[in-house]
Amino acid sequence: MPNLKEAQKRTNKKVLVKENEYFLNDALKVLGKDKKYFIKTYGCQMNEHDTENIKAILEDMSFIETDTMESADLILMNTCAIRENAHNKVFGYLGRIKHLKETKPNLIVGICGCMAQEEAVVDEILKKYKWIDIVFGTHNIHNLPNILNTSMAKKRLEVEVLSIEGDVIENIPVKRDSKYKAWVNIMYGCDKFCTYCIVPYTRGKQRSREPKYILEEVNKLVKDGYLEVTLLGQNVNAYGKDLDINYGMANLLEDVANTGIKRIRFVTSHPWDFTDEMIDIISKYDNIMPYIHLPLQSGSSKILKLMGRRYTKEEYISLFNKIKEKIPNVSITTDIIVGFPNETEDDFNETLEVVNACKFDSAFTFIFSPRVGTPAARMQDGICLKEKEQRLYRLNELINKYSLEANQKYLNKVVPVLIEGVSEKDDNMLVGYTDTMKLVNVEGSKDYIGSIVDVYITDIKTWSMNGKIKND
Ligand code: 5AD
Ligand code: SF4
């Protein structure tokens, strides 16, 4: 069972690197024979990547993927706990699954991901959703075969959630969604404890993967023909700080650049750990993409302090300007929370001021959502929801204005685009991303899928642009 008190703890216990933890005996390898699975994923890239691991584990057990929940024998929901609406969506979806379960009693239903790490959520499942078969946490993914086996044999709810700081399991298989782009975990967990954020409780303490495992993975991806890797962590600039070696994010970026992979991205950065050395390495290597996601959260130094972000408005702006100066053509995006407890109109105006100063390429914006167990959820808050919604609206208007302005600079220019596939909206169009992470709808032959091509930009929108392949 998850336990909030345990999840809050940070000790000096050594993180273990486990190379043989994931193991299937012969019986487990056929447990899913003639059965289909369906996974619904919520939340961040880390969760998407966990789903890629879960898919590979299920396929090791002979399950076959299906893309409709109705045809599945096993339905898993990989959940997100970051805001209340993510939480509500999961409980809404569970309502639909319950109907299916009534008509299909052998259907196995499981919940995993960040919500499974929340004590209050699992309590609710035990009380009101007894028909669910398995609940497993973010530290238990490698043990899914055994959890499933026990639940299927005993036909009862099986909960396996560890509220631990966590280890690093190195031998979990992966079934990647794309043949061209891959996510690579470089670290797990987070020790920043921003006061609004649930992640340090659901994902455990910061544990960096040793460089040799990361480089092995990237080298293999290069060999398999992958063009792009995104290095993943809650807080990637702090990479390596928990290892006993003198090796940080700048070193890792340089070593990954030297593998020869065509494109390197990394998310998410925290302004606090962003070193000059990192900026130098990013500008030095052409295969490290000029794109940085740098969450601001608030433009008011008072609110930033209450959030526990450990930088001021001025420090953020100066880091932003340094990055813009030193990395040519860089695009910078951000995350902003409005309506943090007691954010005044003046505080909010300071956020708008920073947006006016930085003119972000784009931003994810949110209304503060109190998460059980975090310090911010216990703060008194005199600001009503209507006011918060109005602030979000005003902020979005400004963000959109600058997104369009940033995109307009691309009109009639030629930019490199990794063509990923066919557009979902229009069968005759291809889609891909520029080096600066702009979404482009491209006219051109399907033969270009899986390559990086020069695209001439013909039309600009707020969230995307259109273009055609140069020389086509
Ligand atoms: N309420 C609203 N937004 C949040 N985020 C994290 N926690 C909360 C919360 N409690 C936002 C932050 C973070 C992004 C991933 O989600 O902006 O950068
Ligand atoms: Fe949450 Fe802050 Fe860690 Fe990001 S850095 S995951 S916002 S605690």
Side-chain angles (χ1 to χ4, degrees):
M1 278 292 294
N3 177 303
L4 183 61
K5 284 241 148 47
E6 286 300 314
Q8 281 167 336
K9 269 192 200 157
R10 290 295 183 266
T11 66
N12 290 330
K13 192 183 141 264
K14 194 168 162 32
V15 172
L16 300 175
V17 179
K18 298 180 174 169
E19 286 185 335
N20 303 307
E21 196 71 359
Y22 170 71
F23 171 76
L24 294 187
N25 62 28
D26 289 344
L28 291 176
K29 282 185 191 155
V30 292
L31 195 72
K33 201 159 176 298
D34 303 324
K35 290 194 167 64
K36 294 189 187 131
Y37 73 90
F38 173 81
I39 308 189
K40 176 103 182 140
T41 309
Y42 297 87
C44 63
Q45 291 101 329
M46 192 73 78
N47 248 25
E48 297 272 354
H49 188 41
D50 283 350
T51 290
E52 292 185 330
N53 291 129
I54 293 169
K55 285 182 178 179
I57 294 176
L58 292 172
E59 296 192 10
D60 276 358
M61 299 174 73
S62 307
F63 282 95
I64 297 167
E65 186 171 9
T66 170
D67 53 10
T68 60
M69 144 174 130
E70 289 74 18
S71 62
D73 304 287
L74 164 67
I75 300 177
L76 289 181
M77 298 179 75
N78 190 5
T79 62
C80 166
I82 199 105
R83 281 171 294 276
E84 201 179 345
N85 57 358
H87 180 277
N88 292 344
K89 272 191 216 156
V90 168
F91 280 106
Y93 204 78
L94 273 177
R96 284 177 57 196
I97 300 179
K98 187 174 182 216
H99 288 299
L100 259 180
K101 178 100 178 169
E102 281 160 4
T103 57
K104 243 175 134 175
N106 287 333
L107 177 68
I108 308 163
V109 179
I111 302 248
C112 59
C114 285
M115 275 171 68
Q117 293 292 142
E118 289 184 282
E119 203 177 318
V121 169
V122 178
D123 279 345
E124 192 173 344
I125 289 173
L126 289 175
K127 275 196 211 109
K128 296 194 203 148
Y129 298 83
K130 291 198 179 92
W131 51 271
I132 290 178
D133 301 277
I134 55 172
V135 178
F136 62 100
T138 57
H139 300 290
N140 307 72
I141 292 175
H142 62 281
N143 203 27
L144 173 59
N146 292 309
I147 302 168
L148 261 173
N149 191 25
T150 313
S151 161
M152 284 162 81
K154 297 190 179 157
K155 296 214 177 298
R156 63 159 159 77
L157 172 59
E158 189 64 23
V159 178
E160 190 178 301
V161 181
L162 295 172
S163 290
I164 50 170
E165 294 172 301
D167 291 318
V168 175
I169 318 275
E170 280 297 347
N171 70 330
I172 305 185
V174 59
K175 182 193 176 195
R176 299 191 189 273
D177 281 342
S178 162
K179 286 190 287 193
Y180 320 114
K181 317 198 289 186
W183 284 308
V184 173
N185 278 324
I186 63 167
M187 63 204 298
Y188 304 95
C190 180
D191 287 344
K192 290 282 191 275
F193 286 100
C194 299
T195 57
Y196 51 81
C197 186
I198 190 95
V199 169
Y201 312 96
T202 62
R203 294 263 169 189
K205 86 166 163 192
Q206 177 180 316
R207 290 107 64 207
S208 299
R209 279 179 84 193
E210 287 178 17
K212 68 170 183 188
Y213 294 106
I214 300 170
L215 294 170
E216 248 170 47
E217 188 172 343
V218 177
N219 278 317
K220 179 158 188 311
L221 288 165
V222 174
K223 235 171 70 202
D224 292 345
Y226 278 81
L227 299 172
E228 181 174 307
V229 289
T230 301
L231 308 178
L232 284 184
Q234 297 300 339
N235 199 343
V236 290
N237 335 17
Y239 173 79
K241 291 195 166 180
D242 51 305
L243 295 173
D244 288 340
I245 48 179
N246 186 14
Y247 187 96
M249 187 58 180
N251 306 97
L252 181 70
L253 278 174
E254 181 151 39
D255 283 345
V256 174
N258 285 325
T259 64
I261 188 105
K262 292 268 188 295
R263 288 182 156 195
I264 300 159
R265 304 187 188 280
F266 54 93
V267 280
T268 281
S269 296
H270 189 302
W272 181 13
D273 294 306
F274 216 110
T275 60
D276 288 355
E277 216 186 332
M278 263 180 74
I279 302 178
D280 290 341
I281 294 289
I282 298 166
S283 59
K284 180 170 160 195
Y285 286 91
D286 286 346
N287 57 347
I288 306 180
M289 295 298 97
Y291 162 70
I292 288 162
H293 186 64
L294 193 69
L296 165 68
Q297 312 300 8
S298 167
S300 148
S301 296
K302 179 194 101 188
I303 296 291
L304 285 168
K305 189 143 194 243
L306 289 171
M307 287 176 161
R309 292 291 289 178
R310 308 188 203 198
Y311 55 83
T312 60
K313 168 189 184 183
E314 291 73 24
E315 282 165 346
Y316 183 94
I317 295 178
S318 110
L319 173 65
F320 180 98
N321 288 336
K322 190 158 47 173
I323 295 173
K324 278 266 168 184
E325 249 166 55
K326 290 204 175 164
I327 306 175
N329 188 35
V330 70
S331 81
I332 304 182
T333 58
T334 199
D335 290 342
I336 298 172
I337 298 174
V338 301
F340 188 80
N342 296 319
E343 178 193 65
T344 61
E345 183 64 20
D346 284 349
D347 293 321
F348 175 65
N349 281 328
E350 289 200 65
T351 297
L352 297 183
E353 258 176 46
V354 179
V355 172
N356 280 320
C358 296
K359 304 180 172 57
F360 295 105
D361 281 79
S362 75
F364 296 106
T365 56
F366 314 100
I367 292 180
F368 166 72
S369 170
R371 309 313 295 135
V372 176
T374 61
R378 295 188 292 272
M379 293 178 190
Q380 293 288 330
D381 186 5
I383 317 289
C384 69
L385 183 62
K386 196 152 174 259
E387 175 64 39
K388 295 184 183 197
E389 284 169 350
Q390 276 167 3
R391 285 182 194 167
L392 183 69
Y393 181 83
R394 284 160 63 199
L395 175 63
N396 284 343
E397 292 283 289
L398 197 62
I399 292 286
N400 293 347
K401 178 182 119 172
Y402 288 122
S403 292
L404 185 63
E405 244 179 67
N407 284 355
Q408 261 151 359
K409 294 192 191 122
Y410 288 69
L411 190 62
N412 300 328
K413 297 257 164 63
V414 174
V415 285
V417 176
L418 195 173
I419 307 288
E420 292 178 11
V422 175
S423 160
E424 276 177 20
K425 288 187 200 134
D426 181 350
D427 233 17
N428 295 316
M429 294 293 270
L430 306 169
V431 281
Y433 286 89
T434 63
D435 51 350
T436 51
M437 201 63 180
K438 306 279 181 188
L439 175 65
V440 192
N441 294 297
V442 184
E443 266 175 56
S445 150
K446 293 191 173 59
D447 294 344
Y448 289 110
I449 295 174
S451 50
I452 298 169
V453 287
D454 282 342
V455 171
Y456 179 76
I457 301 299
T458 53
D459 193 17
I460 296 297
K461 300 180 182 154
T462 305
W463 293 290
S464 68
M465 44 187 86
N466 293 343
K468 55 185 181 198
I469 292 178
K470 203 185 143 206
N471 305 330
D472 207 16

